[in-house]
Amino acid sequence: MSDLMQTFPVKRIIEHGPGVKSFYFDRMTDAVAGQFVNVWLPGIDEKPYSVSALGEDWLEISVKAYGVFSGAMMKLKVGDLVGIRGPFGKGFTFRDNALIIGGGIGIAPLRILARELSERNFRFVSLLGAATAHEVIFVDDFRRRSSNCYVTTDDGTLGKKGLVTDDLLEIIKKEKIEFVYAAGPEIMFVKIKELIDPLGIAYEFCLERYMKCGIGICGQCTLDGSGIRLCVEGPVLNQDDLKAVTELGLPHRDASGRRV
Amino acid sequence: MSDLMQTFPVKRIIEHGPGVKSFYFDRMTDAVAGQFVNVWLPGIDEKPYSVSALGEDWLEISVKAYGVFSGAMMKLKVGDLVGIRGPFGKGFTFRDNALIIGGGIGIAPLRILARELSERNFRFVSLLGAATAHEVIFVDDFRRRSSNCYVTTDDGTLGKKGLVTDDLLEIIKKEKIEFVYAAGPEIMFVKIKELIDPLGIAYEFCLERYMKCGIGICGQCTLDGSGIRLCVEGPVLNQDDLKAVTELGLPHRDASGRRV
Amino acid sequence: MSQVKFLNLKLKNPTVLASGILGLTASSMKRVVEFGGAGAVTTKSFNIEWRKGHKNPSILPFRHGLLNAVGLSNPGIDEMVKEIRLFRRQCDAPIFASVFGRTIDEFAEVTRLTVEAEPDLIEVNISCPNVHSEFGQPFGNSCEDTAKITEIVKKNAGDIPVSIKLGPHGPGVARLARVCEEHGADAITAINTVGPGMLIDIEVRKPILSNKTGGVSGPAILPIAVKSVYEVYKAVNIPIIGTGGVTVPEDAVQMILAGATLIGIGTGVYYQGIDVFKKIEQGVREYLDRHGFKSIEEIRGGAHE
Amino acid sequence: MSQVKFLNLKLKNPTVLASGILGLTASSMKRVVEFGGAGAVTTKSFNIEWRKGHKNPSILPFRHGLLNAVGLSNPGIDEMVKEIRLFRRQCDAPIFASVFGRTIDEFAEVTRLTVEAEPDLIEVNISCPNVHSEFGQPFGNSCEDTAKITEIVKKNAGDIPVSIKLGPHGPGVARLARVCEEHGADAITAINTVGPGMLIDIEVRKPILSNKTGGVSGPAILPIAVKSVYEVYKAVNIPIIGTGGVTVPEDAVQMILAGATLIGIGTGVYYQGIDVFKKIEQGVREYLDRHGFKSIEEIRGGAHE
Ligand SMILES: Cc1cc2nc3c(=O)[nH]c(=O)nc-3n(C[C@H](O)[C@H](O)[C@H](O)COP(=O)(O)OP(=O)(O)OC[C@H]3O[C@@H](n4cnc5c(N)ncnc54)[C@H](O)[C@@H]3O)c2cc1C
Ligand SMILES: Cc1cc2nc3c(=O)[nH]c(=O)nc-3n(C[C@H](O)[C@H](O)[C@H](O)COP(=O)(O)OP(=O)(O)OC[C@H]3O[C@@H](n4cnc5c(N)ncnc54)[C@H](O)[C@@H]3O)c2cc1C
Ligand SMILES: Cc1cc2nc3c(=O)[nH]c(=O)nc-3n(C[C@H](O)[C@H](O)[C@H](O)COP(=O)(O)O)c2cc1C
Ligand SMILES: Cc1cc2nc3c(=O)[nH]c(=O)nc-3n(C[C@H](O)[C@H](O)[C@H](O)COP(=O)(O)O)c2cc1C
Ligand code: FES
Ligand code: FES
């Protein structure tokens, strides 16, 4: 694989529930947890998606329907051709005694992380939250691999009713957590940061921004304060990277570059 | 080294006599006997020259003054920058019990051949001819490496007075020659061919034609009859290659492509 | 399945040797067909009088293609007519005669004389970017000159079809192609080299080409060639010889999808060897097979849908 | 020894971030200076109103460079004026504001408003090849439009020097540069992207860029950029920001020998990382050292002798 555009047929689709699907392709690339690929739907657009799992001969991405593009993804059928280039970006580092926090479709890059951690025999605990049960994708997988797996849903259809951040501090204490991984909506990062910065625990967040090139030249995904390019130096940033970032939780730039 | 233009300083110059010089460069490339490099004199022109010897860390070409370009070569001084790209073409094959026939500056590509043969412990005999003594370049080298070395000059200043072809058949017989290598003026090839074709002895000649690209695209050096490109499939051709060639000894094409 | 119809001609496959590459002699072009596998060949561009062209270096590889300023060296029409005739006697493949002139009248004259050699097509080079200094801007940068030359060449070409060779510069290749079609051209060859460009040796601190500047060909220009063919295909109904940067079968498929009927290959000979034509023909055939197409026609212009 | 004077400015080194690359925010440009080593930065081209630009794919690597059709997406002048001011507060390096307009009046307007941000130079993008469909041919393809824009921008720019950014197309970069100089331009930036080009995915059989066509940048265009700078240097006396295909120090030296005062680098960031500026500055310095030159001035335009 490479930065050059190539197309691949969809090999298999899993529907987790309304508006949440995983797509499988022949494995066209290596990738580490946190890295993403650019997905091109001809005639529609091209957007970044985390690699959510890798098998011997397959690659998985997991998508939640939000707008035009992810909506179009939902209509893909097995055999349809999709452009894929990458992998791009820098992934997670591997730590022992970590807590993995996933919010909604942010669970995607954590699925491959969980596998990489357990392959290294690292102990970790999972804390997954989403709007509703079927959005906690691959929850069995996390249950199997984690030494403990906490789940919350907004509607209480799975696990505890509430947000992932509700019992965060207690879980950290109880599970003797030394490191935090998180991926999900930006507001979740803001909340987590508020809660754990005082504890001095190190962490890595997998962020999202509107992206164009994926190769570090357009400047679309740079973060105010640090000038870091999320597509190259991210999307995984640690507490040090985030120190200089002044825009966490604030409006992001759209395709024009305006903050909206 | 490569097809791309690079410049190198002249490291050393040997003057064999009026109008005949060898030039030394840091060894920028591998090459086998028969291969050539394109030499660029900035502001003047670019022409092909056989690699005449290769040392651990040096490369040699040997030049006789004829016209504008080789004349300009004679004015080079140590330290002058010369563009060199290559090596181009296909070299000689290595055979036992061969006769090496060199005419004039055609001796150049045979010097490196002689070395390659003797390194392989192949027996060979040399037959070198030129206008005058100093044009029989590196004659000592040939004498040392060959099992026998015959020399002719037009003016009798070295070896026997006459042409290399005068005693060719006798030498072949006496020395039990099984293969012939030759490089020199085209008329010499015509003569040699006439003499040895009837014997059925196999041979390789190192030809010259006006060249432009050296990389097989301009068509300037193609041979009538076969369409072979001397810069790629040559400059060394064997008796089979030459069968289809209808222009041996006839006028060659100049820069415009006309036969002159 | 690689067979292709082009105007009144049938070619074994859609590859054509581009002008300026190995097109000086009958023997050379014959080898390009027999050993190389080309479906047709184009001669080096020639004119009434022979020209020496520029001194060397005249053809310079760089990392992404070639830079050339051969300076339209050619042996003159008498020699070339002989070679074309010789080729026609020895070889079945169509031969395209590439002509140029220094004046509009010369285009007429060289066409008239070329007709005697009975080439299968006359390709009119109005777009060589290397001759500025001598001839001013290429004729092909002006719609008027392009119209005039097309008209006058057609008038002198008799039954022999005419393709006008365009560059990517000037008022736009699509506009020029329309002018050519309106004035009777039977086909368009697109594109000639791009630029021109220059490379400077930083040690001797001089431009390397003896002409200083030269046209860019090869892989670097593929996107510009594909785009040109795409635009020309939208603009006209006459067939296109898509040329520029094709070195592998996938490039040729792009050209066909953009709308090319034939695929001109020049610098590809440097990258892939003289049998680049064969390799590309085979690769295109495999592509058609793999996708269940029966002929090239089925995908021609397919990127427009 | 890498220090260089350019108009009224002193740069730590001659490298400049080219427009359209990492030039959207103060933070991004600051990083290009501090971590990347650029001597100056250029903003993304902006206009009065924000523009979304084209959908993705809008930037596409191919084997020899990039193809891009970002479509002049930009956040509009208010946002950019803020970012320029922020940059000026935080960073010593000069900042060049790149502006464009859809009409000649808009060029005046955007210049007038940009002056308030006090950039060190206003670079006027009249050569973006991606906007044909919306704006017709680039203004920079016409000598008259180029003259008018230069004049009107100069009138509105006050004390701030103006560089006109030219492409390799149209009536010839040297002629255009002369027009710019005659109408008061303080500098020339050459060149913008080349082409445009197109790449077609042969499996889905469609052009890949959402805009179908895009400008070619990167290594493929180096010879065309070097040639353009060479011609401009011959034609005018104002300094040149030589841009196009520079990825390694040797490329930058070619540009300087052709006549560039500053070296614009865009796509090089993709090939060599954000510290491409530092690498090139060091390499150029080593080149000067090795050859016993004391400053870049000594070799500027050296290929013309
Ligand atoms: C590095 C990276 C990795 C990504 N990985 C994934 C992934 O694995 N799976 C996945 O589904 N998406 C992922 N995304 C997001 C994805 O690229 C698209 O942004 C997303 O699919 C929405 O695109 P759209 O065009 O459908 O929605 P748009 O039309 O862009 O948005 C529609 C509405 O939904 C909102 N919205 C969009 N995305 C989100 C979100 N993530 N959370 C909350 N609101 C949102 C928008 O603000 C807008 O209001 C990733 C993004 C990045 C930068
Ligand atoms: C593959 C190849 C290898 C070569 N290797 C060498 C080499 O090792 N050493 C070397 O000196 N040259 C070699 N040459 C020849 C060289 O490239 C030039 O052609 C030669 O130096 C004359 O160039 P010029 O410009 O000085 O003469 P020109 O101006 O081209 O010629 C001046 C006159 O000399 C005649 N002439 C030119 N060359 C020869 C010749 N070789 N024999 C007889 N008459 C000639 C011409 O016909 C003309 O009348 C080689 C050529 C080829 C194609
Ligand atoms: C060495 C060389 C010589 C050329 N000479 C001519 C010529 O005489 N007439 C012409 O129309 N085009 C000439 N061209 C242009 C080619 O025919 C072709 O249009 C161009 O090189 C792009 O195709 P390519 O990338 O496959 O080489 C020449 C190109 C090269 C590289
Ligand atoms: C992604 C991308 C966006 C660009 N956007 C602009 C722009 O907004 N304004 C402009 O004047 N040039 C723009 N350019 C052109 C560059 O500034 C530069 O002139 C060109 O890319 C050649 O230089 P390079 O090969 O170093 O990239 C853009 C180029 C790229 C690759
Ligand atoms: S998406 Fe272009 S720099 Fe990150
Ligand atoms: S010199 Fe050009 S083909 Fe041989």
Side-chain angles (χ1 to χ4, degrees), chain A residues 3 7 44-46 85 212 217 225 256 258-259, chain D residues 21-22 27 50-51 56 73-75 83 203 270:
Chain A
D3 301 355
T7 49
I44 299 176
D45 209 329
E46 183 191 29
R85 55 196 181 109
K212 283 192 173 170
I217 66 154
S256 77
R258 285 176 313 152
R259 268 176 280 258
Chain D
I21 287 87
L22 296 178
S27 296
W50 60 270
R51 285 166 59 94
N56 281 344
S73 66
N74 79 92
E83 297 292 340
E203 298 301 320
Y270 167 57

PDB file of all heavy atoms in Angstrom, chain A residues 3 7 44-46 85 212 217 225 256 258-259, chain D residues 21-22 27 50-51 56 73-75 83 203 270:
ATOM      1  N   ASP A   3       0.651   5.887  -0.559  1.00  0.00           N
ATOM      2  CA  ASP A   3      -0.107   7.126  -0.637  1.00  0.00           C
ATOM      3  C   ASP A   3      -0.889   7.201  -1.935  1.00  0.00           C
ATOM      4  O   ASP A   3      -1.783   8.030  -2.076  1.00  0.00           O
ATOM      5  CB  ASP A   3       0.854   8.310  -0.606  1.00  0.00           C
ATOM      6  CG  ASP A   3       1.694   8.315   0.648  1.00  0.00           C
ATOM      7  OD1 ASP A   3       1.459   7.462   1.526  1.00  0.00           O
ATOM      8  OD2 ASP A   3       2.582   9.169   0.744  1.00  0.00           O
ATOM      9  N   THR A   7      -7.944   1.021  -5.717  1.00  0.00           N
ATOM     10  CA  THR A   7      -9.299   0.634  -5.314  1.00  0.00           C
ATOM     11  C   THR A   7      -9.354  -0.851  -4.972  1.00  0.00           C
ATOM     12  O   THR A   7      -8.610  -1.658  -5.535  1.00  0.00           O
ATOM     13  CB  THR A   7     -10.321   0.946  -6.423  1.00  0.00           C
ATOM     14  OG1 THR A   7      -9.837   0.426  -7.654  1.00  0.00           O
ATOM     15  CG2 THR A   7     -10.532   2.445  -6.558  1.00  0.00           C
ATOM     16  N   ILE A  44     -18.237  10.770  -4.803  1.00  0.00           N
ATOM     17  CA  ILE A  44     -18.808  11.312  -3.573  1.00  0.00           C
ATOM     18  C   ILE A  44     -17.788  12.156  -2.803  1.00  0.00           C
ATOM     19  O   ILE A  44     -17.851  13.375  -2.818  1.00  0.00           O
ATOM     20  CB  ILE A  44     -19.398  10.178  -2.701  1.00  0.00           C
ATOM     21  CG1 ILE A  44     -20.518   9.497  -3.522  1.00  0.00           C
ATOM     22  CG2 ILE A  44     -19.946  10.731  -1.381  1.00  0.00           C
ATOM     23  CD1 ILE A  44     -21.163   8.319  -2.891  1.00  0.00           C
ATOM     24  N   ASP A  45     -16.802  11.534  -2.214  1.00  0.00           N
ATOM     25  CA  ASP A  45     -15.828  12.283  -1.411  1.00  0.00           C
ATOM     26  C   ASP A  45     -14.776  11.295  -0.928  1.00  0.00           C
ATOM     27  O   ASP A  45     -14.820  10.098  -1.284  1.00  0.00           O
ATOM     28  CB  ASP A  45     -16.540  12.946  -0.210  1.00  0.00           C
ATOM     29  CG  ASP A  45     -15.854  14.237   0.257  1.00  0.00           C
ATOM     30  OD1 ASP A  45     -14.632  14.337   0.120  1.00  0.00           O
ATOM     31  OD2 ASP A  45     -16.567  15.127   0.754  1.00  0.00           O
ATOM     32  N   GLU A  46     -13.850  11.782  -0.140  1.00  0.00           N
ATOM     33  CA  GLU A  46     -12.815  10.926   0.441  1.00  0.00           C
ATOM     34  C   GLU A  46     -12.650  11.367   1.897  1.00  0.00           C
ATOM     35  O   GLU A  46     -12.502  12.560   2.152  1.00  0.00           O
ATOM     36  CB  GLU A  46     -11.495  11.119  -0.322  1.00  0.00           C
ATOM     37  CG  GLU A  46     -10.358  10.229   0.137  1.00  0.00           C
ATOM     38  CD  GLU A  46      -9.006  10.646  -0.453  1.00  0.00           C
ATOM     39  OE1 GLU A  46      -8.824  11.842  -0.738  1.00  0.00           O
ATOM     40  OE2 GLU A  46      -8.138   9.778  -0.607  1.00  0.00           O
ATOM     41  N   ARG A  85      -6.205   4.629   0.540  1.00  0.00           N
ATOM     42  CA  ARG A  85      -4.762   4.878   0.602  1.00  0.00           C
ATOM     43  C   ARG A  85      -4.338   5.158   2.031  1.00  0.00           C
ATOM     44  O   ARG A  85      -5.123   5.627   2.841  1.00  0.00           O
ATOM     45  CB  ARG A  85      -4.326   5.975  -0.359  1.00  0.00           C
ATOM     46  CG  ARG A  85      -5.031   7.267  -0.206  1.00  0.00           C
ATOM     47  CD  ARG A  85      -4.820   8.155  -1.431  1.00  0.00           C
ATOM     48  NE  ARG A  85      -5.492   9.411  -1.240  1.00  0.00           N
ATOM     49  CZ  ARG A  85      -4.862  10.575  -1.019  1.00  0.00           C
ATOM     50  NH1 ARG A  85      -3.558  10.623  -1.008  1.00  0.00           N
ATOM     51  NH2 ARG A  85      -5.546  11.675  -0.826  1.00  0.00           N
ATOM     52  N   LYS A 212      -7.873  16.885   4.484  1.00  0.00           N
ATOM     53  CA  LYS A 212      -7.901  16.876   3.026  1.00  0.00           C
ATOM     54  C   LYS A 212      -6.856  15.923   2.466  1.00  0.00           C
ATOM     55  O   LYS A 212      -7.188  14.939   1.856  1.00  0.00           O
ATOM     56  CB  LYS A 212      -7.687  18.286   2.479  1.00  0.00           C
ATOM     57  CG  LYS A 212      -8.932  19.145   2.603  1.00  0.00           C
ATOM     58  CD  LYS A 212      -8.822  20.427   1.813  1.00  0.00           C
ATOM     59  CE  LYS A 212     -10.180  21.138   1.859  1.00  0.00           C
ATOM     60  NZ  LYS A 212     -10.110  22.492   1.315  1.00  0.00           N
ATOM     61  N   ILE A 217       0.457  18.142   3.977  1.00  0.00           N
ATOM     62  CA  ILE A 217       0.837  19.355   3.251  1.00  0.00           C
ATOM     63  C   ILE A 217      -0.241  20.431   3.180  1.00  0.00           C
ATOM     64  O   ILE A 217       0.067  21.596   3.043  1.00  0.00           O
ATOM     65  CB  ILE A 217       1.336  19.051   1.823  1.00  0.00           C
ATOM     66  CG1 ILE A 217       0.219  18.491   0.952  1.00  0.00           C
ATOM     67  CG2 ILE A 217       2.535  18.149   1.818  1.00  0.00           C
ATOM     68  CD1 ILE A 217       0.493  18.786  -0.505  1.00  0.00           C
ATOM     69  N   GLY A 225      -2.107  26.518  18.325  1.00  0.00           N
ATOM     70  CA  GLY A 225      -1.248  26.483  19.497  1.00  0.00           C
ATOM     71  C   GLY A 225       0.048  25.780  19.164  1.00  0.00           C
ATOM     72  O   GLY A 225       1.118  26.349  19.273  1.00  0.00           O
ATOM     73  N   SER A 256     -13.295  24.930   4.317  1.00  0.00           N
ATOM     74  CA  SER A 256     -12.754  26.221   3.895  1.00  0.00           C
ATOM     75  C   SER A 256     -11.589  26.646   4.777  1.00  0.00           C
ATOM     76  O   SER A 256     -10.839  27.538   4.423  1.00  0.00           O
ATOM     77  CB  SER A 256     -13.845  27.296   3.952  1.00  0.00           C
ATOM     78  OG  SER A 256     -14.072  27.697   5.299  1.00  0.00           O
ATOM     79  N   ARG A 258     -12.339  27.665   7.891  1.00  0.00           N
ATOM     80  CA  ARG A 258     -12.970  28.467   8.955  1.00  0.00           C
ATOM     81  C   ARG A 258     -13.258  27.587  10.154  1.00  0.00           C
ATOM     82  O   ARG A 258     -13.533  26.390  10.012  1.00  0.00           O
ATOM     83  CB  ARG A 258     -14.312  29.028   8.482  1.00  0.00           C
ATOM     84  CG  ARG A 258     -14.226  30.179   7.521  1.00  0.00           C
ATOM     85  CD  ARG A 258     -15.633  30.538   7.078  1.00  0.00           C
ATOM     86  NE  ARG A 258     -16.341  29.302   6.717  1.00  0.00           N
ATOM     87  CZ  ARG A 258     -17.646  29.140   6.794  1.00  0.00           C
ATOM     88  NH1 ARG A 258     -18.411  30.106   7.251  1.00  0.00           N
ATOM     89  NH2 ARG A 258     -18.209  28.000   6.409  1.00  0.00           N
ATOM     90  N   ARG A 259     -13.298  28.174  11.314  1.00  0.00           N
ATOM     91  CA  ARG A 259     -13.731  27.455  12.512  1.00  0.00           C
ATOM     92  C   ARG A 259     -15.238  27.529  12.596  1.00  0.00           C
ATOM     93  O   ARG A 259     -15.809  28.623  12.558  1.00  0.00           O
ATOM     94  CB  ARG A 259     -13.102  28.066  13.762  1.00  0.00           C
ATOM     95  CG  ARG A 259     -11.799  27.406  14.146  1.00  0.00           C
ATOM     96  CD  ARG A 259     -11.167  28.105  15.308  1.00  0.00           C
ATOM     97  NE  ARG A 259     -10.481  29.288  14.832  1.00  0.00           N
ATOM     98  CZ  ARG A 259      -9.160  29.345  14.675  1.00  0.00           C
ATOM     99  NH1 ARG A 259      -8.410  28.317  14.976  1.00  0.00           N
ATOM    100  NH2 ARG A 259      -8.599  30.439  14.235  1.00  0.00           N
TER     101      ARG A 259
ATOM    102  N   ILE D  21       0.482  25.381   1.106  1.00  0.00           N
ATOM    103  CA  ILE D  21       1.024  24.285   1.905  1.00  0.00           C
ATOM    104  C   ILE D  21       1.163  24.773   3.353  1.00  0.00           C
ATOM    105  O   ILE D  21       1.914  25.711   3.633  1.00  0.00           O
ATOM    106  CB  ILE D  21       2.386  23.809   1.341  1.00  0.00           C
ATOM    107  CG1 ILE D  21       2.158  23.028   0.036  1.00  0.00           C
ATOM    108  CG2 ILE D  21       3.117  22.890   2.300  1.00  0.00           C
ATOM    109  CD1 ILE D  21       2.100  23.846  -1.185  1.00  0.00           C
ATOM    110  N   LEU D  22       0.425  24.155   4.237  1.00  0.00           N
ATOM    111  CA  LEU D  22       0.525  24.431   5.677  1.00  0.00           C
ATOM    112  C   LEU D  22       0.398  25.915   6.001  1.00  0.00           C
ATOM    113  O   LEU D  22       0.911  26.355   7.022  1.00  0.00           O
ATOM    114  CB  LEU D  22       1.851  23.868   6.230  1.00  0.00           C
ATOM    115  CG  LEU D  22       2.002  22.343   6.155  1.00  0.00           C
ATOM    116  CD1 LEU D  22       3.357  21.903   6.690  1.00  0.00           C
ATOM    117  CD2 LEU D  22       0.893  21.646   6.947  1.00  0.00           C
ATOM    118  N   SER D  27      -0.311  29.077  13.812  1.00  0.00           N
ATOM    119  CA  SER D  27       0.389  27.991  14.508  1.00  0.00           C
ATOM    120  C   SER D  27       1.129  27.096  13.524  1.00  0.00           C
ATOM    121  O   SER D  27       2.256  26.668  13.767  1.00  0.00           O
ATOM    122  CB  SER D  27      -0.613  27.124  15.277  1.00  0.00           C
ATOM    123  OG  SER D  27      -1.235  27.862  16.279  1.00  0.00           O
ATOM    124  N   TRP D  50     -14.934  33.351   2.220  1.00  0.00           N
ATOM    125  CA  TRP D  50     -14.400  32.006   2.372  1.00  0.00           C
ATOM    126  C   TRP D  50     -14.937  31.122   1.248  1.00  0.00           C
ATOM    127  O   TRP D  50     -15.998  31.395   0.679  1.00  0.00           O
ATOM    128  CB  TRP D  50     -14.742  31.434   3.746  1.00  0.00           C
ATOM    129  CG  TRP D  50     -16.219  31.338   4.045  1.00  0.00           C
ATOM    130  CD1 TRP D  50     -16.988  32.292   4.624  1.00  0.00           C
ATOM    131  CD2 TRP D  50     -17.090  30.245   3.751  1.00  0.00           C
ATOM    132  NE1 TRP D  50     -18.279  31.877   4.719  1.00  0.00           N
ATOM    133  CE2 TRP D  50     -18.384  30.615   4.186  1.00  0.00           C
ATOM    134  CE3 TRP D  50     -16.906  28.984   3.172  1.00  0.00           C
ATOM    135  CZ2 TRP D  50     -19.485  29.763   4.057  1.00  0.00           C
ATOM    136  CZ3 TRP D  50     -18.003  28.136   3.042  1.00  0.00           C
ATOM    137  CH2 TRP D  50     -19.271  28.538   3.479  1.00  0.00           C
ATOM    138  N   ARG D  51     -14.179  30.085   0.917  1.00  0.00           N
ATOM    139  CA  ARG D  51     -14.569  29.120  -0.105  1.00  0.00           C
ATOM    140  C   ARG D  51     -14.309  27.723   0.428  1.00  0.00           C
ATOM    141  O   ARG D  51     -13.273  27.457   1.011  1.00  0.00           O
ATOM    142  CB  ARG D  51     -13.699  29.265  -1.362  1.00  0.00           C
ATOM    143  CG  ARG D  51     -14.004  30.449  -2.227  1.00  0.00           C
ATOM    144  CD  ARG D  51     -12.862  30.649  -3.219  1.00  0.00           C
ATOM    145  NE  ARG D  51     -12.657  29.473  -4.055  1.00  0.00           N
ATOM    146  CZ  ARG D  51     -13.216  29.315  -5.249  1.00  0.00           C
ATOM    147  NH1 ARG D  51     -14.006  30.235  -5.748  1.00  0.00           N
ATOM    148  NH2 ARG D  51     -12.981  28.222  -5.952  1.00  0.00           N
ATOM    149  N   ASN D  56     -12.973  16.166  -1.641  1.00  0.00           N
ATOM    150  CA  ASN D  56     -11.878  15.200  -1.755  1.00  0.00           C
ATOM    151  C   ASN D  56     -12.259  14.121  -2.769  1.00  0.00           C
ATOM    152  O   ASN D  56     -13.446  13.915  -2.990  1.00  0.00           O
ATOM    153  CB  ASN D  56     -11.623  14.548  -0.398  1.00  0.00           C
ATOM    154  CG  ASN D  56     -10.825  15.452   0.525  1.00  0.00           C
ATOM    155  OD1 ASN D  56     -10.213  16.420   0.081  1.00  0.00           O
ATOM    156  ND2 ASN D  56     -10.838  15.127   1.800  1.00  0.00           N
ATOM    157  N   SER D  73      -9.810  26.683  -1.695  1.00  0.00           N
ATOM    158  CA  SER D  73     -10.519  26.732  -0.420  1.00  0.00           C
ATOM    159  C   SER D  73      -9.770  27.688   0.498  1.00  0.00           C
ATOM    160  O   SER D  73      -8.538  27.720   0.494  1.00  0.00           O
ATOM    161  CB  SER D  73     -10.557  25.349   0.218  1.00  0.00           C
ATOM    162  OG  SER D  73      -9.255  24.943   0.563  1.00  0.00           O
ATOM    163  N   ASN D  74     -10.473  28.497   1.233  1.00  0.00           N
ATOM    164  CA  ASN D  74      -9.828  29.399   2.196  1.00  0.00           C
ATOM    165  C   ASN D  74     -10.882  29.964   3.116  1.00  0.00           C
ATOM    166  O   ASN D  74     -12.060  30.022   2.771  1.00  0.00           O
ATOM    167  CB  ASN D  74      -9.067  30.508   1.465  1.00  0.00           C
ATOM    168  CG  ASN D  74      -9.985  31.607   0.971  1.00  0.00           C
ATOM    169  OD1 ASN D  74     -10.218  32.592   1.666  1.00  0.00           O
ATOM    170  ND2 ASN D  74     -10.568  31.417  -0.208  1.00  0.00           N
ATOM    171  N   PRO D  75     -10.445  30.381   4.317  1.00  0.00           N
ATOM    172  CA  PRO D  75     -11.422  30.812   5.319  1.00  0.00           C
ATOM    173  C   PRO D  75     -11.871  32.257   5.144  1.00  0.00           C
ATOM    174  O   PRO D  75     -12.617  32.763   5.988  1.00  0.00           O
ATOM    175  CB  PRO D  75     -10.667  30.617   6.631  1.00  0.00           C
ATOM    176  CG  PRO D  75      -9.241  30.696   6.267  1.00  0.00           C
ATOM    177  CD  PRO D  75      -9.094  30.297   4.843  1.00  0.00           C
ATOM    178  N   GLU D  83      -4.945  35.573  11.399  1.00  0.00           N
ATOM    179  CA  GLU D  83      -3.838  34.605  11.481  1.00  0.00           C
ATOM    180  C   GLU D  83      -2.505  35.269  11.138  1.00  0.00           C
ATOM    181  O   GLU D  83      -1.481  34.977  11.751  1.00  0.00           O
ATOM    182  CB  GLU D  83      -4.101  33.402  10.557  1.00  0.00           C
ATOM    183  CG  GLU D  83      -5.335  32.572  10.913  1.00  0.00           C
ATOM    184  CD  GLU D  83      -5.207  31.790  12.233  1.00  0.00           C
ATOM    185  OE1 GLU D  83      -4.075  31.568  12.699  1.00  0.00           O
ATOM    186  OE2 GLU D  83      -6.266  31.418  12.789  1.00  0.00           O
ATOM    187  N   GLU D 203      -9.871   0.929 -12.330  1.00  0.00           N
ATOM    188  CA  GLU D 203     -10.842  -0.057 -11.845  1.00  0.00           C
ATOM    189  C   GLU D 203     -12.242   0.559 -11.798  1.00  0.00           C
ATOM    190  O   GLU D 203     -13.198  -0.039 -12.282  1.00  0.00           O
ATOM    191  CB  GLU D 203     -10.428  -0.598 -10.482  1.00  0.00           C
ATOM    192  CG  GLU D 203      -9.091  -1.342 -10.495  1.00  0.00           C
ATOM    193  CD  GLU D 203      -9.071  -2.538 -11.444  1.00  0.00           C
ATOM    194  OE1 GLU D 203     -10.056  -3.266 -11.518  1.00  0.00           O
ATOM    195  OE2 GLU D 203      -8.039  -2.734 -12.142  1.00  0.00           O
ATOM    196  N   TYR D 270       6.087  17.142   1.560  1.00  0.00           N
ATOM    197  CA  TYR D 270       5.593  15.766   1.476  1.00  0.00           C
ATOM    198  C   TYR D 270       6.745  14.782   1.328  1.00  0.00           C
ATOM    199  O   TYR D 270       6.789  13.746   1.989  1.00  0.00           O
ATOM    200  CB  TYR D 270       4.615  15.652   0.310  1.00  0.00           C
ATOM    201  CG  TYR D 270       4.251  14.247  -0.109  1.00  0.00           C
ATOM    202  CD1 TYR D 270       3.695  13.351   0.805  1.00  0.00           C
ATOM    203  CD2 TYR D 270       4.449  13.820  -1.408  1.00  0.00           C
ATOM    204  CE1 TYR D 270       3.353  12.068   0.406  1.00  0.00           C
ATOM    205  CE2 TYR D 270       4.101  12.537  -1.804  1.00  0.00           C
ATOM    206  CZ  TYR D 270       3.561  11.664  -0.897  1.00  0.00           C
ATOM    207  OH  TYR D 270       3.223  10.396  -1.284  1.00  0.00           O
TER     208      TYR D 270
END
